[in-house]
Amino acid sequence: MPPNPAQPPSLRTRLQALVRELGKFGTVGSIAFAIDLAIFSVLRGSGTEPLLAKTISTVIATTVAFFGNRFWTWRHGQHTHMARQYTLFFVMNAIGLGISLAILALSHYGLGRIWPVFESQLADTISGQFVGTALATMFRFWSYRRFVFRVTGDSGKDEAATAGDPPDQSVAPSSSSAH
């Protein structure tokens, strides 16, 4: 039986939509994480300073994540001018990067002064890539949903109703907003 448009979606429907959303976000994030980890590891292995390596790897992974989240995870969310969304996405990622860098700096430069093992590439990878990224990811999910792609109460109903439908063509960027 199709949902009644006048009736709000049930808790079960909203939870199912949230689980699908988290799954998509997790998939996009996993791909971006793998890119981030690979680039960070290559840069650290070549002698690049830890904070610079993390910044470079995050910027590249963020670009991949933006397109995955905009066109798949939150394709039914409110889409504004692509340049505006991309800018907001990068601002939220800059905050997330700040969280990751703070954890990495605390480990490498703070704890590393007390225990030199925290200055190793392994310790940098654990603190910057796993601990920092985990905390930053929680912030990113909340901020993307709230500010970048603006998921409203009705979008869970829309997502549940159109879970198998192709992406809405009305959100495709125009040629002037693709830059």
Side-chain angles (χ1 to χ4, degrees):
M1 175 183 216
N4 180 353
Q7 194 176 39
S10 69
L11 177 60
R12 181 177 181 195
T13 301
R14 290 190 322 229
L15 286 175
Q16 287 173 334
L18 181 62
V19 167
R20 272 192 304 279
E21 187 178 349
L22 283 166
K24 290 177 179 182
F25 177 77
T27 300
V28 170
S30 294
I31 292 166
F33 177 79
I35 291 168
D36 187 6
L37 180 60
I39 293 170
F40 178 78
S41 296
V42 167
L43 291 173
R44 281 297 289 134
S46 69
T48 305
E49 193 273 332
L51 300 182
L52 178 61
K54 181 62 179 161
T55 301
I56 292 168
S57 67
T58 298
V59 167
I60 294 168
T62 295
T63 302
V64 171
F66 172 77
F67 287 105
N69 283 312
R70 186 177 200 272
F71 293 109
W72 188 47
T73 306
W74 287 294
R75 71 177 182 213
H76 293 86
Q78 294 179 5
H79 291 286
T80 57
H81 191 271
M82 185 182 279
R84 179 188 175 282
Q85 272 189 318
Y86 194 64
T87 301
L88 268 174
F89 193 85
F90 260 85
V91 166
M92 296 308 163
N93 269 283
I95 295 168
L97 174 60
I99 293 167
S100 292
L101 291 176
I103 299 298
L104 177 58
L106 176 65
S107 172
H108 187 89
Y109 297 109
L111 295 175
R113 298 288 182 243
I114 300 167
W115 298 289
V117 70
F118 283 99
E119 292 179 328
S120 70
Q121 184 173 346
L122 177 61
D124 289 346
T125 300
I126 291 169
S127 64
Q129 292 299 117
F130 293 99
V131 178
T133 298
L135 294 174
T137 296
M138 288 185 276
F139 168 77
R140 286 178 178 124
F141 179 78
W142 171 80
S143 66
Y144 296 166
R145 196 169 198 274
R146 174 127 174 119
F147 300 110
V148 180
F149 302 111
R150 296 191 183 167
V151 175
T152 63
D154 289 341
S155 62
K157 176 174 63 177
D158 295 342
E159 176 71 18
T162 61
D165 293 348
D168 182 0
Q169 297 303 312
S170 67
V171 298
S174 68
S175 60
S176 64
S177 67
H179 302 295

